[in-house]
Amino acid sequence: TNALSSVIEIRQKDGSKDRVHTKLSIGASDAALTVDGPIGKKSTFIVSARQSYLQFLFQAIGLPFLPTYNDFQVKYKYEIDKKNELTFIGIGAIDDLVLNTELQETGTESQKYLLSYLPIYKQWNYTNGLVYKYFGDGFIDQWVLSRNMLRNRNYKFLNNDENNAKTSDYLSDEAENKLRFERDYPYLSVKLKVGGGLRYSHYTNDTYRLIFKNTVDTLRYNTELNLWGYQAFAQASDEFFDDRLKLSFGISTVGNNFNKNMSNPLN
C-alpha cells in the first residue's frame, strides 16, 4: 500500500530438457492444457492453451451476457552453441461476448433493459517475438524482433435481431512492429546497459452509431494513423553494503514522426 511506483517483470520458464511433461488443469471457470519438453539435444518447447466455460454458468444463473475467453502460449528455445541462442515466444487470446437473448421473453425488467443496450463483443490479440542472444567476453548482446496486434469489435442489432439493421458497429485495429538492441555489461565494477530500437505503429478505427434523440442522427467516424518511432537508453548501477543498497542512474529518449515537436529527442 501507499506505493509511489512499482515494476513487474515476468519471465517464462524454459521447457524441460529431460522428457515431455503434460499437465491438465480444471478450475471453476476454465480448463487448461500445458505440454513441454525437449526437441533433440539443443532445443526445448512449451505449449499451453486455456478455454473458459464461464458462459454456461452465466446462462444457468440468468445473466444477460455470456462471455467466453481463450488464450494460448508457445515458447521455443534453441541453443545454437555456448555463445548463441535463439528463442521464439508467442502469446494470443480470443474473447467473445454474446447476448443471452432467451431472456428477452422470459427475463426480468432489469435483464431486458441490459439486453436493450449491451452490444456483442468480439476481440482477439496476439504478441510474438524472436530473441537472439550472444554471450560475448564480458558482455551480452540481445536482439529482439516483435509484433503485437489487438482487434476490437462490437456491434448491436435493433432489438437484437440479426434480420434488422445495426444500430452500432465499431471496429479498431492496433498493431506494433518493434526492433530492439541491448548490450549488457554485467561483470564490470559498475554494471552498464545500453540499447536502442525502432518501432512502427498502425492504428485504424471505423465507428458507426445511431443516436436516438427527438430525431435519429448518425455518427460516422473513420481514422487511420501510421507512426514511426525510436528509442535509445543507457543505465549504470552498482550495489553497496552487502547488496542492501543499490544505486542506478539512467537516461532514455524516445520520439516519433507524429509532429516536429515529438520527433525532437530533446523534447
Side-chain angles (χ1 to χ4, degrees):
T1 60
N2 298 324
L4 294 178
S5 64
S6 60
V7 175
I8 297 177
E9 182 178 20
I10 300 175
R11 294 179 180 269
Q12 286 183 315
K13 71 173 187 177
D14 296 332
S16 301
K17 293 184 177 181
D18 56 348
R19 61 181 178 84
V20 175
H21 298 260
T22 302
K23 180 181 179 181
L24 176 64
S25 302
I26 298 178
S29 60
D30 56 47
L33 176 66
T34 303
V35 181
D36 73 289
I39 303 179
K41 295 182 178 180
K42 293 187 175 183
S43 60
T44 60
F45 77 96
I46 299 179
V47 177
S48 68
R50 180 176 60 165
Q51 186 176 56
S52 73
Y53 36 79
L54 200 61
Q55 65 275 19
F56 302 117
L57 175 62
F58 278 35
Q59 188 171 28
I61 62 179
L63 292 180
F65 50 90
L66 308 175
T68 304
Y69 61 84
N70 309 268
D71 53 54
F72 319 92
Q73 295 186 62
V74 59
K75 180 179 181 180
Y76 172 77
K77 185 176 181 180
Y78 177 54
E79 297 179 355
I80 303 171
D81 52 39
K82 292 183 179 180
K83 287 184 173 290
N84 300 272
E85 70 176 34
L86 196 64
T87 304
F88 172 81
I89 296 176
I91 303 173
I94 302 173
D95 299 316
D96 287 328
L97 187 150
V98 298
L99 301 178
N100 189 2
T101 54
E102 295 177 358
L103 297 177
Q104 289 188 151
E105 301 295 334
T106 62
T108 64
E109 289 301 318
S110 61
Q111 291 170 332
K112 293 178 181 180
Y113 173 72
L114 289 173
L115 283 172
S116 69
Y117 74 84
L118 281 176
I120 296 172
Y121 287 93
K122 293 187 178 293
Q123 178 179 284
W124 56 260
N125 65 84
Y126 68 82
T127 300
N128 53 51
L130 193 63
V131 182
Y132 167 69
K133 278 188 177 182
Y134 173 73
F135 299 89
D137 296 330
F139 66 90
I140 301 173
D141 281 350
Q142 180 171 266
W143 291 88
V144 182
L145 179 64
S146 66
R147 173 178 170 84
N148 63 79
M149 181 173 177
L150 165 66
R151 170 163 291 181
N152 193 359
R153 186 178 188 192
N154 66 73
Y155 53 88
K156 181 75 173 178
F157 291 98
L158 184 63
N159 298 324
N160 298 316
D161 186 347
E162 295 186 5
N163 295 317
N164 294 333
K166 288 181 178 178
T167 58
S168 68
D169 195 357
Y170 170 89
L171 176 64
S172 68
D173 284 345
E174 302 175 40
E176 287 185 318
N177 302 278
K178 303 176 185 178
L179 176 63
R180 188 175 78 251
F181 169 74
E182 295 180 2
R183 170 164 285 193
D184 191 7
Y185 295 93
Y187 310 114
L188 296 178
S189 57
V190 176
K191 295 180 181 179
L192 179 65
K193 179 180 285 190
V194 296
L198 297 173
R199 174 185 302 183
Y200 170 68
S201 304
H202 178 68
Y203 174 76
T204 62
N205 185 318
D206 189 7
T207 300
Y208 164 80
R209 182 173 298 163
L210 293 180
I211 302 174
F212 297 92
K213 297 180 180 178
N214 295 328
T215 60
V216 179
D217 296 327
T218 301
L219 169 68
R220 190 79 196 194
Y221 176 78
N222 184 275
T223 188
E224 182 174 357
L225 184 64
N226 298 283
L227 289 175
W228 284 95
Y230 65 87
Q231 65 176 117
F233 71 90
Q235 183 183 34
S237 63
D238 201 0
E239 296 176 351
F240 306 91
F241 305 115
D242 296 326
D243 299 337
R244 288 184 292 177
L245 175 65
K246 182 176 182 179
L247 299 178
S248 66
F249 172 78
I251 185 170
S252 175
T253 183
V254 296
N256 60 57
N257 66 337
F258 183 72
N259 56 39
K260 290 183 179 180
N261 184 59
M262 298 178 71
S263 63
N264 186 343
L266 299 180
N267 291 337

